[in-house]
Amino acid sequence: MKNLNFFIVTILLISVSTFGQRGPIRERFQEKKEQIKALKVAFITTELNLTPEEAAKFWPIFNAFEDKQKEIKKQKLRAYLDQSDANSFDKLSEKDAATLLTQMESAEDDLFQSKKKFISNLKGILPSVKILKLKKAEEQFNKKLLQQYRDKKDRR
């Protein structure tokens, strides 16, 4: 769920910062997205102290995992996100709500299974300590990103 929150905050951060700028919004959005990705790669590489050999094996697995997570969230959680307005929930029938809840559970299970597979794949290339550090590094990066967003918002 934290990843979903991070994803939503990231999207908000990028979209808010692009609205105040000139130029095609889609291009600016993509640039910001790439900047955040580059910062994340640098941050994680530094925090995990990856050797060149580890990095060469780690990043393809990490990128594939993130792509899979985005795909699941985009496809399977879309219905939930479309209904996330509290008033929309009040308008749902019990049957529709139960269906939506089942879809959410399925998506969360898919996310969990993807994470388990990711960790299993990492065990073959990284020591367990670095896998634990990865979780912490991702959380730290997300906190820093959110703090930057808040600081930028406060300056306006």
Side-chain angles (χ1 to χ4, degrees):
M1 199 57 150
K2 287 183 182 181
N3 287 339
L4 177 61
N5 291 340
F6 169 71
F7 181 72
I8 292 170
V9 169
T10 301
I11 297 299
L12 289 173
L13 169 68
I14 292 169
S15 61
V16 167
S17 66
T18 58
F19 282 117
Q21 301 173 4
R22 290 190 163 168
I25 292 175
R26 178 167 274 164
E27 287 178 24
R28 296 242 185 238
F29 176 79
Q30 193 62 33
E31 287 174 17
K32 291 289 184 185
K33 193 173 168 182
E34 289 172 10
Q35 287 174 349
I36 290 170
K37 176 81 172 169
L39 290 171
K40 186 174 184 176
V41 167
F43 186 81
I44 289 174
T45 300
T46 302
E47 290 298 308
L48 297 185
N49 196 23
L50 294 175
T51 66
E53 296 81 20
E54 289 173 334
K57 294 176 184 176
F58 169 78
W59 286 111
I61 293 171
F62 183 85
N63 291 334
F65 167 72
E66 282 204 326
D67 290 345
K68 180 69 174 173
Q69 296 279 301
K70 286 177 192 173
E71 178 186 322
I72 292 168
K73 290 173 186 176
K74 183 178 180 181
Q75 290 179 353
K76 298 196 175 190
L77 294 178
R78 173 58 60 206
Y80 173 74
L81 293 175
D82 290 344
Q83 298 289 331
S84 63
D85 179 2
N87 294 331
S88 297
F89 287 137
D90 291 337
K91 296 175 186 174
L92 286 176
S93 69
E94 185 60 29
K95 182 179 177 182
D96 290 341
T99 300
L100 186 58
L101 189 57
T102 300
Q103 289 173 346
M104 279 178 39
E105 290 171 340
S106 174
E108 291 295 333
D109 186 53
D110 288 349
L111 290 169
F112 177 70
Q113 294 303 321
S114 174
K115 183 96 174 175
K116 281 179 64 173
K117 183 179 178 185
F118 171 64
I119 291 170
S120 177
N121 290 339
L122 287 183
K123 286 180 181 178
I125 60 168
L126 292 179
S128 297
V129 170
K130 286 189 179 184
I131 296 171
L132 293 172
K133 285 182 177 182
L134 172 62
K135 176 71 173 161
K136 184 172 181 173
E138 287 182 295
E139 289 173 2
Q140 288 174 327
F141 181 81
N142 293 345
K143 283 181 185 178
K144 286 184 178 194
L145 186 63
L146 184 58
Q147 189 59 49
Q148 285 180 342
Y149 170 72
R150 287 179 180 154
D151 292 346
K152 190 173 186 176
K153 186 178 170 185
D154 290 343
R155 282 186 257 144
R156 290 182 184 188

